[in-house]
């Protein structure tokens, strides 16, 4: 029976461990936290946006230039496979706006708990509270840092010079294995356990690291009045990001104001372009609050509205959400008590300007410990996309966020962890692992 050690009990590691056990391997799952799936439990604001109904092409596109690497994994274990699998585990799902898939219960913890029950049923040896220190690969720089002798793996038909995984170093010794699956996640939200250990372990055995950086971050805004908008959620708006006056991205959908600035799906997506900017000194966010209307249509609407005998402040609720009204009135420099029929065409033009170009100055992205996902990681060029096996170390597999793959929001990142985990588990357990 093949022995497999999985490092990391997150989304990717749990799927890898379970699938390997289903395929007949004897599996040990190491998780540094006392519980499995600590990050999974807080995904989607605790509701767990586990995948998306997008088709394969759109799925791959959500990961940008590295998306093609995931074709095979998504074909072997697709979003539909995941949905059926979760249903079998007793977690039915539902589809929401933008094809986002959530558990019907709205509880991400239900997914983590169902996965843990699945692992226990398959007799996976779950060692929670156990931190992996390194990979045991005879001949590599990581060899036996604990001073113990590493067992050597079996020989096979690959080049004899290719190192082979022998096990995992933990406090006090080495757990020997025929295959090791590295599923330690990225560097963001380190309080959930993902502190970047896997990057170190992979580079110690020769893998190239694309520098990991936080991606999908909320943005801090300079204008002090933004804190007055805390809690305001805007739907069906468009947001455009400009750097040095040049447009670098536009997104349509939902955003949220917080005490420090802005967040929500379209902001997180735009932040991917923001974090890559070399010069962040002049970055502006322009929100179009009425993207369905042209400037002329808006102006006509205001002309009709301003024929009423109301005061400006009593008309604004027809245009804007309540929380936005005091800030908007202040910015437009029109006294709230002004009767609508005395508002000048220049003032009306100013209102249109603010409705289509509500400007915010971006100060910086929120720190890594609050970002949703890590960009960068172990180079995809050194991994076999059909199996997730390392091309440098026989029997070593990498899955999830530790790999240089990251997508926009919408359930894509979790699906990538689940799919790569499934594929690695199956191949690690198989005769070719
Ligand atoms: C707040 C938040 C919300 C999110 N919401 C969504 C969402 O709704 N949908 C979506 O698709 N994605 C979401 N994501 C992203 C998604 O959670 C991650 O992409 C995904 O969890 C990555 O899975 P993983 O298995 O690779 O890593 P992780 O889930 O981070 O798991 C890695 C595990 O490895 C363990 N570990 C690390 N080092 C060691 C070690 N040395 N020894 C033993 N164990 C170790 C960690 O403790 C951790 O449990 C969200 C992320 C955050 C932070």
């Amino acid at each position: 029976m093949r022995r497999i050690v999985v490092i990391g009990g997150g989304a990717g590691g749990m799927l890898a461990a379970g699938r390997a056990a289903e395929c007949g391997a004897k599996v040990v799952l190491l998780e540094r936290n006392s519980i499995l799936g600590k990050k999974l439990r807080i995904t989607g604001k605790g509701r767990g946006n586990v995948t998306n109904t997008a088709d394969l092409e759109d799925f791959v596109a959500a990961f940008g230039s590295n998306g093609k690497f995931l074709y095979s994994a998504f074909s072997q274990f697709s979003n539909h496979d995941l949905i059926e699998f979760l249903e079998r585990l007793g977690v039915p799902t539902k589809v929401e706006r933008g094809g986002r898939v959530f558990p019907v219960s709205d509880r991400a913890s239900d997914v983590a708990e169902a996965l843990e029950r699945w692992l226990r049923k398959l007799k996976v040896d779950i060692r929670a509270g156990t931190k992996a220190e390194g990979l045991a690969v005879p001949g590599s720089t990581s060899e036996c840092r604990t001073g113990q002798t590493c067992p050597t793996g079996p020989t096979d038909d690959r080049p004899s010079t290719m190192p082979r995984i022998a096990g995992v170093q933990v406090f006090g010794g080495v757990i020997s294995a025929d295959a090791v699956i590295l599923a330690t996640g990225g560097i963001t939200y380190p309080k959930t356990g993902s502190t970047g250990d896997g990057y170190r372990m992979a580079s110690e055995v020769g893998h190239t690291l694309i520098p990991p950086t936080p991606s999908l971050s909320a943005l801090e805004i300079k204008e002090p009045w933004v804190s007055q908008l805390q809690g305001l959620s805007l739907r069906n708006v468009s947001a455009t990001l400009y750097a040095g006056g040049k447009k670098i991205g536009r997104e349509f959908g939902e955003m949220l104001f917080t005490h420090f600035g802005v967040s929500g799906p379209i902001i997180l997506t735009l932040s991917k372009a923001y974090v890559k900017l070399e010069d962040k000194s002049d970055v502006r966010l322009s929100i179009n609050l009425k993207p369905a209307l042209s400037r002329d249509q808006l102006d006509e609407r205001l002309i009709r509205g301003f024929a009423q005998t109301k005061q400006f402040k009593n008309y604004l609720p027809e245009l804007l959400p309540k929380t936005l009204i005091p800030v908007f009135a202040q910015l437009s420099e029109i006294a709230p008590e002004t009767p609508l029929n005395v508002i000048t065409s220049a003032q009306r033009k100013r209102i249109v300007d603010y409705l289509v170009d509500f400007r915010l100055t971006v100060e910086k992205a929120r720190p890594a410990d609050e970002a949703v996902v890590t960009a960068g990681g172990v180079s995809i060029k050194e991994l076999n996309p059909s199996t997730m096996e390392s091309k440098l170390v026989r029997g070593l597999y990498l899955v999830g966020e530790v790999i240089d793959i990251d997508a926009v929001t919408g359930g894509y990142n979790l699906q990538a962890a689940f799919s790569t985990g499934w594929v690695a588990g199956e191949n690690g357990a198989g005769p070719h692992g």
Side-chain angles (χ1 to χ4, degrees):
M1 192 184 250
R2 287 177 61 76
R3 294 152 305 157
I4 297 199
V5 178
V6 179
I7 310 176
M14 284 199 273
L15 265 272
R19 186 59 186 155
E22 275 187 345
C23 294
K26 187 169 162 46
V27 184
V28 174
L29 173 59
L30 306 178
E31 168 52 55
R32 72 191 312 168
N33 294 320
S34 56
I35 56 163
L36 297 181
K38 204 166 171 186
K39 186 175 278 180
L40 174 59
R41 290 165 196 266
I42 60 163
T43 55
K45 299 205 175 77
R47 295 177 58 227
N49 176 195
V50 287
T51 188
N52 196 287
T53 55
D55 62 22
L56 183 58
E57 296 302 320
D58 289 340
F59 235 97
V60 164
F63 288 80
S65 57
N66 282 359
K68 287 195 202 88
F69 171 81
L70 292 165
Y71 254 117
S72 178
F74 287 151
S75 308
Q76 293 180 62
F77 187 72
S78 69
N79 46 359
H80 302 294
D81 293 330
L82 176 72
I83 290 166
E84 271 178 36
F85 170 71
L86 289 176
E87 176 94 43
R88 275 204 307 279
L89 295 191
V91 187
T93 55
K94 59 179 173 181
V95 182
E96 295 193 358
R97 216 144 24 99
R100 288 161 196 258
V101 178
F102 293 86
V104 168
S105 66
D106 282 326
R107 281 195 306 263
S109 56
D110 284 357
V111 179
E113 279 155 24
L115 288 174
E116 184 168 346
R117 280 196 302 276
W118 176 59
L119 296 176
R120 293 199 185 280
K121 208 166 148 198
L122 289 162
K123 307 256 181 300
V124 170
D125 178 1
I126 299 171
R127 301 196 193 166
T130 307
K131 184 173 175 238
E133 302 292 342
L135 302 171
V137 179
S140 80
T141 53
S142 74
E143 184 177 9
C144 295
R145 295 186 329 155
T146 51
Q148 305 250 333
T149 310
C150 295
T152 42
T155 53
D156 57 44
D157 57 357
R158 293 201 208 173
S160 58
T161 48
M162 188 176 181
R164 196 187 210 298
I165 197 83
V168 175
Q169 295 163 2
V170 290
F171 180 74
V174 171
I175 306 174
S176 62
D178 301 307
V180 170
I181 301 176
L182 190 59
T184 44
I187 47 161
T188 48
Y189 253 75
K191 62 186 168 199
T192 61
S194 50
T195 54
D197 286 9
Y199 298 136
R200 174 185 52 77
M201 293 186 214
S203 59
E204 278 173 356
V205 297
H207 275 287
T208 309
L209 269 193
I210 310 303
T213 49
S215 187
L216 301 186
S217 304
L219 298 174
E220 293 188 19
I221 296 298
K222 255 191 192 136
E223 283 76 15
W225 44 256
V226 82
S227 59
Q228 293 177 46
L229 304 179
Q230 179 176 358
L232 171 65
S233 169
L234 297 175
R235 286 184 173 174
N236 302 324
V237 294
S238 84
T240 311
L241 196 65
Y242 295 91
K246 197 170 150 235
K247 177 176 149 186
I248 58 163
R250 168 172 289 166
E251 291 295 327
F252 173 81
E254 192 174 339
M255 64 175 283
L256 177 77
F257 283 87
T258 66
H259 64 285
F260 56 76
V262 285
S263 186
I266 61 173
I267 300 299
L268 295 179
T269 299
L270 286 171
S271 76
K272 266 171 87 73
Y274 174 80
V275 295
K276 287 186 188 140
L277 284 173
E278 275 177 26
D279 180 1
K280 297 188 174 68
S281 60
D282 174 21
V283 184
R284 191 166 64 73
L285 197 56
S286 164
I287 315 295
N288 186 342
L289 297 162
K290 303 284 173 194
L293 299 175
S294 68
R295 288 185 71 94
D296 286 347
Q297 286 171 323
L298 260 178
D299 197 37
E300 278 163 28
R301 183 174 161 185
L302 291 184
I303 291 170
R304 278 198 307 275
F306 288 2
Q308 303 174 60
T309 51
K310 283 179 183 169
Q311 289 180 338
F312 182 48
K313 67 175 179 197
N314 296 328
Y315 174 71
L316 281 175
E318 292 180 29
L319 273 186
L320 296 168
K322 207 167 136 211
T323 326
L324 197 53
I325 291 173
V327 170
F328 193 88
Q330 193 188 334
L331 292 173
S332 66
E333 294 172 5
I334 300 170
E337 289 73 28
T338 310
L340 288 175
N341 55 11
V342 306
I343 289 179
T344 65
S345 60
Q347 285 174 317
R348 204 179 63 235
K349 182 177 171 308
R350 203 154 66 233
I351 296 170
V352 173
D353 285 344
Y354 276 111
L355 287 172
V356 300
D357 180 18
F358 189 75
R359 291 181 183 201
L360 301 163
T361 314
V362 181
E363 177 100 63
K364 58 178 187 258
R366 292 296 275 178
D369 55 4
E370 290 178 30
V372 171
V373 70
T374 308
V378 175
S379 171
I380 54 169
K381 291 188 185 138
E382 296 166 354
L383 304 176
N384 178 339
S386 309
T387 61
M388 297 299 138
E389 188 177 13
S390 160
K391 291 179 182 170
L392 309 183
V393 180
R394 171 95 199 243
L396 172 64
Y397 295 77
L398 290 93
V399 310
E401 224 176 291
V402 75
I403 307 175
D404 177 22
I405 46 164
D406 64 284
V408 294
T409 61
Y412 303 101
N413 288 298
L414 274 175
Q415 177 73 49
F418 289 136
S419 294
T420 54
W422 184 270
V423 167
E426 198 162 282
N427 284 280
H432 308 297

